Amino acid sequence: MESHDAQADHAAIREAVQKLCAGFPGPYWRALDREDRYPAEFVAALTDAGYLAALVPEEYGGAGLPLSAAAAILEEIHRSGGNGAACHAQMYVMGTLLRHGSAAQKARWLPEIAAGRLRLQAFGVTEPTSGTDTGALRTVARRDGDVFVVDGQKIWTSRAEHSDLMILLARTTPRDACAKRTDGLSVLLVDMREALGRGLTLRPIRTMMNHATTEVFLDGLRVPAENLIGEEGRGFRYVLTGMNAERILIAAECIGDAKWFVETASAYARERVVFGRPIGQNQGVQFPIAQAYARMRAAELMVREAARLYESGAPCGAEANMAKMLAAEASFEAANVCLQTHGGFGFAEEYDVERKFRETRLYQVAPISTNLILAHLAEHVLGLPRSY
Amino acid sequence: MKILVPVKRVVDYNVKIRVKPDGSGVDLANVKMSMNPFDEIAVEEAIRLKEKGKATEIVAVSIGPQQAQETIRTALAMGADRGILVKTDGVVEPLAVAKMLKAIVANESPDLVIMGKQAIDDDCNQTGQMLAALLGWAQGTFASKVEPGEGTVDVTREVDGGLQTVSLKLPAIVTTDLRLNEPRYASLPNIMKAKKKPLEETSPEALGVDVAPRLTVVSTAEPPKRQAGVKVGSVEELVQKLKNEAGVL
């Protein structure tokens, strides 16, 4: 699978990430999975090697690399058998601050984030009653002198327990006083180190795989008004601009997963001998793997196209969403084929297939579900009536 | 102290290699290539000497095709200061490599050459020794420890009976064994910096070396396939089989 142009494909970065990941093999991830534990050592190694600051501009101490480099880093993590979800958001959540924060806010926070001394990898948007219907969110931030007082609740806020800062979306103008339902929302940067126990409560949610996610309760939390990002009331747009980068990076993780599944399935099918010959000699076994490979490559092209458009500054909402959808489908198909190829052994923890299978399934649901992507394409690309 | 580190681009150690159908060699089409692991250890040792203040400059040199510059960039990302690519396509045998390194040594005047004891592709284990002979320098091969002194370097060698320490007068050649150190992986900022470090290109002709092979490869064959084992029912049966069938007792 080494078929790309080395320069355009960040070959040196990929190779270095592979070497780093070789220090965190299957048994490391299996032990974490069993204990539902955060991969602190892996995240520290990635931070120390500078990878999580890939997208932070050089003037703030990051590497100032294009999105495709971050995609290459995350793809290689997943291709190695590991998982980047514990820290991928440290790469891109800062984008909201970078694009919309004031010079003073950027100078205060970004160098600390780039150095890894401050973790900004929690993104408080989704709520129990609103889900993807962001305009309907109920968390309210009320101005009181030089602070905002925040009341409400968030859910599926990933990594909140392992983050120092959180980007929080809250309503600052009542919905009925706004022209559009997505107006009147604002972005606040919450310093969770100060807020915990003072109006901020986190409750972890145990999930199908080892993924640190939480419910967030906001009860009279006081956030300094100077932590308002950009203009009051324009927060929905600010959050939206970061979504394309997130979609593309998650899609790259799916491509990495798909490559791991295809390579693992192929290796097993070559070695495993039943009825006197390798099972991979049977077309019934090899064709599904070849099919999964072809689907992965097709999805990979869409991921690259989306990244190319993003880097050129062109609109890429449709491509970023299609990349995420196609890559998540390709990775799950590859997961299913890999499990089937392994037969009973696929269910044994020590093969890592069942763990990766559970992990990659998430991406047809998060960070956006496939149905909403289709609704977006139908409405905005095909000109069909809005369905929701 | 200036250190020269030769690095070779070889088939990655994880790749399961395949012999070409005509037996002329190993199929390298679309195969992942990396820095020879023993050379990585050599680069790491040079960087550690620089970090300890013992070395002032590290020059990485590779002899091979254009893509060998990626191998040099890897060394630069780990911490070498600049690179030299001797561009040549096709097979280059250890003697020709040693002659080219000798020419580079004449240009660069390093105090120490640290290199892998062998490359994992052809397993020759000759270049370091040949270079020492051509230069008339001291050599410390199969190093598991390197301690520079004043105008000398102490090299602990892994030999059959245990460890042997030799003291070499500088300039000298050191070849690295597996247990000398554990090479670092490059950090992202260092990968970026490596792109801006100087990398000069030269050729065998410019160095005045004829790289035409002296050896002919007669055949290349894969190792014989392992036969399936048998299960034995008891210790007695195992001893019987070892005695009568395997003939090892």
Side-chain angles (χ1 to χ4, degrees), chain B residues 100-213:
Chain B
M100 286 187 269
L101 291 177
K102 184 191 174 199
I104 288 168
V105 165
N107 294 339
E108 294 285 338
S109 317
D111 303 283
L112 194 58
V113 179
I114 309 182
M115 56 206 292
K117 69 169 182 177
Q118 67 194 59
I120 61 165
D121 51 0
D122 56 22
D123 276 346
C124 282
N125 183 1
Q126 295 170 353
T127 306
Q129 294 88 330
M130 285 176 169
L131 179 61
L134 290 174
L135 288 167
W137 287 10
Q139 57 179 300
T141 52
F142 314 137
S144 64
K145 197 175 168 196
V146 176
E147 281 290 337
E150 282 302 312
T152 60
V153 59
D154 288 355
V155 176
T156 302
R157 312 179 57 234
E158 298 196 344
V159 294
D160 277 352
L163 298 176
Q164 177 194 51
T165 303
V166 293
S167 184
L168 313 177
K169 216 164 72 182
L170 292 177
I173 311 287
V174 171
T175 74
T176 60
D177 214 325
L178 211 56
R179 281 157 290 272
L180 178 58
N181 60 48
E182 214 172 287
R184 72 195 63 194
Y185 42 76
S187 69
L188 186 57
N190 286 340
I191 294 171
M192 306 306 292
K193 276 184 214 149
K195 292 185 179 169
K196 291 172 193 144
K197 289 182 178 175
L199 201 168
E200 120 196 25
E201 202 176 301
T202 180
S203 66
E205 297 75 44
L207 298 173
V209 176
D210 173 16
V211 295

Side-chain angles (χ1 to χ4, degrees), chain A residues 67 244 247-248 251 300-312 314-316 318-324:
Chain A
L67 191 71
N244 289 335
R247 305 277 190 267
I248 294 168
E300 185 180 34
L301 292 179
M302 183 58 85
V303 178
R304 280 160 198 263
E305 172 68 357
R308 188 187 65 77
L309 288 171
Y310 182 94
E311 287 173 5
S312 71
C316 65
E319 287 76 10
N321 275 300
M322 285 191 284
K324 208 282 293 191

Side-chain angles (χ1 to χ4, degrees), chain B residues 2 4-5 7 57-73 76 80-88 100 103-109 194-204 206-207:
Chain B
K2 183 167 165 180
L4 187 74
V5 187
V7 292
E57 190 187 21
I58 303 165
V59 182
V61 53
S62 191
I63 296 163
Q66 191 64 46
Q67 298 92 316
Q69 75 170 28
E70 291 161 25
T71 309
I72 296 176
R73 291 281 176 214
L76 298 177
D81 297 294
R82 60 189 173 88
I84 302 171
L85 170 66
V86 185
K87 203 183 145 199
T88 173
M100 286 187 269
I104 288 168
V105 165
N107 294 339
E108 294 285 338
S109 317
K195 292 185 179 169
K196 291 172 193 144
K197 289 182 178 175
L199 201 168
E200 120 196 25
E201 202 176 301
T202 180
S203 66
L207 298 173

Side-chain angles (χ1 to χ4, degrees), chain A residues 363-385:
Chain A
Y363 296 127
Q364 288 182 59
V365 174
I368 182 81
S369 115
T370 301
N371 276 354
L372 266 298
I373 292 177
L374 295 173
H376 175 89
L377 294 175
E379 181 186 352
H380 296 287
V381 179
L382 306 179
L384 294 167

